[in-house]
Amino acid sequence: MTVRRSSGTAAEVIARNRTALGIELGSTRIKACLIDADTAEVLATGSHTWENSFVDGRWTYPLEEVWSGLQAAYAALVDDAQERHGIRPSSFGAIGISAMMHGYLAFDADGTLLVPFRTWRNTSTGEASVELTQVLGVNIPQRWSVAHLHQAALDGESHVADVASITTLAGYVHERLTGRTVLGVGDASGMFPIDSATIDYDERLLQAYRDHTGRDLRPLLPAVLPAGADAGALTPEGAALLDPTGALQPGIPLCPPEGDAGTGMVATNSVAPLTGNVSAGTSIFAMVVLEKPLPTVHEELDLVTTPAGATVAMVHCNNGASELGAWAALFHRFTVANGQFVDEDQVFATLFAEALQGDPDAGGLLAYNHLAGEPVVGLDQGRPLFVRTPDASFTLANVMRAQIYGVFGTLALGMRILADDGVRIERMFAHGGLFRTAGVAQRFLAAALDTPVDVGDLAAEGGAWGIAVLAAYLDQADRPLAAYLDETVFAGASVVTAEPDPTDVAGFAAYLDRYRAGLAIEAAAITALPTQGTSQDPSPDLKKDAS
């Protein structure tokens, strides 16, 4: 074991640049996390809240909000370091950028954005997804970058002829900071399929795409890098973008930019075969590192990679804890209206504790958290619904248990496909704000997956901490990433394990049977209840962002 010790006090570590800065652009928060590069201990944090907008039928974020948000999160981190340790950092040992995976950022040869950023949350690429899955012989989900590009071509969008490059949000920010057009292999695996043997885009599938479309995709895609590789350094222009005050110094090395799925794997020490993690935020997804290829192609599953390039089966659900947050906000507002203000965190804790008193099957109640479309269950739009029969047990405990079960419903359907394919999981780690209330969501997830679920103390800062760890790994890349995490970062970490309770397992299975049958209600609601066209995500920022 090669556990390292800090090189001094926090102030000394910061002054000597024995640090790593991680920044992750999540769905609802942009978070910055500064760690001791030797111990992975968190030294300072900063964050900025933002929301996606639904404009002209698509989920998006304006790029100007990317930079204002990054600057705000970075400034908050510097202030936090000053307050905690009496020092304002002006340089770091390394920096890492992470963001929501997938989506579509298309630029012309001059670097001009051709259409507004289309995020992973959009479900408007169904035709392209089906066609590319058939042509390539692997599942190409709707949120993947190549599906967005191909759908734009199928729709005859005029900008397609001018596309000179496409990238992800992390890749875009990294390029602006360093001048390098690269991606970590995990993030790249959400753009186009990766060959884990070469740690690069699958050349056979690139050729199949060329044969089908007549277009060479490789020149449009960022170069692929594994964890630990040199991904460039902060330029003077990049430093000014991140810190307009001019205090931040250029020349800092950056690790390959990664997606939030990859940083979640790092933050939960889930990069070795037979390990997995569930990340619950605005979306919810499970990642399982495979020991062998899946026997069949499933449209509910996609194959991505760890930041080191190992193949991962991913069950990605567009809808996570946002609807649950909206219900909690409703009860919070009741306390305000009643003149008995209760803190938002306490509202969550109270409602979660009440859910433990509910019936194992949630008393016959049913909750759908679909604010957006959900391709895993074949829905191209979302309609959050709460449904009960007249004879259901309509209690607060059952309402809240149904809502928490609803967060895991679509995920559980996808995970059952993996189980049917014989995929083994020795350890499942959960992270995200949903699991901060001890002993509730963790217990229900164990029931939903019928497998032990771990929650640990090092994942509190989520993906921002994970990408900081990947930045610190730059000077440790002489050993495998899994070994570095096991022997250095997570050595001695405390973990709480929830074993599946047989009564809960049976209760959730009954709930899931109703959930599957009730999807017909969801489909009917999409037809009967049109959306208004332009809005922001209506759910509040209540402990729902996995990052």
Side-chain angles (χ1 to χ4, degrees):
M1 185 174 291
T2 55
V3 178
R4 295 180 291 166
R5 299 187 182 279
S6 178
S7 59
T9 67
E12 291 169 340
V13 168
I14 293 171
R16 294 171 185 164
N17 295 333
R18 285 302 306 158
T19 55
L21 171 65
I23 301 177
E24 182 161 280
L25 295 96
S27 300
T28 60
R29 285 187 297 167
I30 301 173
K31 289 192 66 177
C33 180
L34 183 65
I35 66 170
D36 183 323
D38 293 317
T39 66
E41 177 187 358
V42 176
L43 303 177
T45 62
S47 68
H48 172 76
T49 299
W50 70 339
E51 287 287 357
N52 54 190
S53 298
F54 192 60
V55 180
D56 296 330
R58 289 191 172 92
W59 295 101
T60 188
Y61 298 85
L63 292 192
E64 55 268 24
E65 292 186 15
V66 170
W67 294 108
S68 62
L70 283 168
Q71 291 164 6
Y74 177 80
L77 177 134
V78 172
D79 288 345
D80 189 43
Q82 173 70 48
E83 182 176 342
R84 290 198 206 185
H85 312 298
I87 183 171
R88 300 182 71 83
S90 59
S91 188
F92 310 96
I95 298 175
I97 300 297
S98 174
M100 301 167 279
M101 286 180 68
H102 317 295
Y104 185 65
L105 279 161
F107 300 89
D108 66 14
D110 297 324
T112 301
L113 184 69
L114 294 171
V115 291
F117 173 35
R118 298 173 183 177
T119 79
W120 57 270
R121 200 174 190 181
N122 289 288
T123 52
S124 56
T125 61
E127 183 183 0
S129 174
V130 170
E131 182 176 317
L132 291 177
T133 297
Q134 294 173 343
V135 169
L136 302 181
V138 298
N139 185 35
I140 303 296
Q142 290 198 45
R143 64 188 180 280
W144 279 32
S145 304
V146 67
H148 282 277
L149 174 66
H150 194 61
Q151 188 66 53
L154 292 176
D155 292 342
E157 294 190 41
S158 60
H159 80 272
V160 173
D162 297 322
V163 173
S165 66
I166 60 174
T167 190
T168 65
L169 183 55
Y172 162 71
V173 172
H174 183 94
E175 189 277 331
R176 293 293 305 276
L177 296 181
T178 67
R180 293 279 302 275
T181 306
V182 299
L183 269 190
V185 61
D187 205 11
S189 68
M191 295 191 74
F192 190 85
I194 293 289
D195 181 350
S196 289
T198 63
I199 315 296
D200 200 358
Y201 302 111
D202 191 308
E203 187 56 48
R204 180 180 63 83
L205 299 184
L206 284 172
Q207 184 59 53
Y209 186 87
R210 282 192 293 268
D211 292 343
H212 181 67
T213 66
R215 187 166 197 171
D216 187 1
L217 193 60
R218 182 176 281 277
L220 308 184
L221 297 169
V224 179
L225 296 174
D230 174 18
L234 186 67
T235 64
E237 296 79 9
L241 267 178
L242 194 55
D243 179 21
T245 72
L248 180 60
Q249 300 301 301
I252 304 168
L254 271 78
C255 70
E258 265 298 347
D260 53 356
T263 58
M265 284 185 273
V266 171
T268 56
N269 194 17
S270 304
V271 300
L274 304 182
T275 65
N277 77 90
V278 170
S279 177
T282 300
S283 64
I284 184 169
F285 52 85
M287 314 285 290
V288 179
V289 186
L290 300 177
E291 58 180 339
K292 58 184 179 180
L294 294 178
T296 54
V297 175
H298 299 284
E299 64 179 15
E300 299 89 349
L301 309 174
D302 46 310
L303 298 180
V304 291
T305 77
T306 70
T311 303
V312 175
M314 183 179 191
V315 181
H316 184 285
C317 308
N318 284 351
N319 300 279
S322 294
E323 178 67 359
L324 178 63
W327 277 79
L330 187 74
F331 287 106
H332 176 258
R333 175 57 193 164
F334 175 79
T335 72
V336 175
N338 199 42
Q340 298 175 330
F341 177 85
V342 178
D343 178 80
E344 292 171 349
D345 285 349
Q346 185 57 48
V347 169
F348 262 96
T350 300
L351 294 174
F352 273 45
E354 185 71 8
L356 292 174
Q357 307 306 313
D359 297 326
D361 70 342
L365 308 182
L366 190 58
Y368 291 98
N369 63 339
H370 299 155
L371 284 160
E374 195 56 84
V376 173
V377 290
L379 300 173
D380 60 3
Q381 296 182 46
R383 297 293 185 274
L385 292 176
F386 179 73
V387 183
R388 66 187 179 101
T389 57
D391 58 347
S393 178
F394 187 49
T395 66
L396 179 60
N398 282 332
V399 168
M400 293 316 301
R401 185 174 282 228
Q403 291 294 336
I404 299 172
Y405 276 8
V407 175
F408 301 137
T410 307
L411 182 78
L413 293 175
M415 290 297 290
R416 276 156 171 71
I417 295 172
L418 280 178
D420 291 343
D421 274 355
V423 173
R424 294 191 303 124
I425 307 172
E426 292 182 349
R427 184 176 64 83
M428 181 64 78
F429 201 111
H431 73 123
L434 188 65
F435 302 101
R436 292 178 197 162
T437 301
V440 184
Q442 180 186 7
R443 168 180 157 180
F444 293 163
L445 179 60
L449 304 183
D450 195 12
T451 195
V453 173
D454 294 343
V455 172
D457 58 359
L458 278 185
E461 298 302 326
W465 182 80
I467 191 64
V469 168
L470 286 173
Y473 179 63
L474 280 174
D475 68 0
Q476 293 289 312
D478 56 340
R479 54 184 166 143
L481 178 61
Y484 168 67
L485 295 178
D486 274 340
E487 298 168 1
T488 299
V489 177
F490 284 89
S494 62
V495 172
V496 176
T497 301
E499 298 287 342
D501 178 270
T503 302
D504 286 342
V505 171
F508 186 87
Y511 178 92
L512 194 64
D513 286 342
R514 293 199 310 274
Y515 186 93
R516 193 194 306 266
L519 289 170
I521 309 171
E522 279 282 278
I526 291 170
T527 301
L529 301 173
T531 62
Q532 300 303 307
T534 301
S535 69
Q536 284 193 321
D537 189 337
S539 56
D541 183 26
L542 294 178
K543 304 173 78 172
K544 66 179 168 36
D545 199 310
S547 65

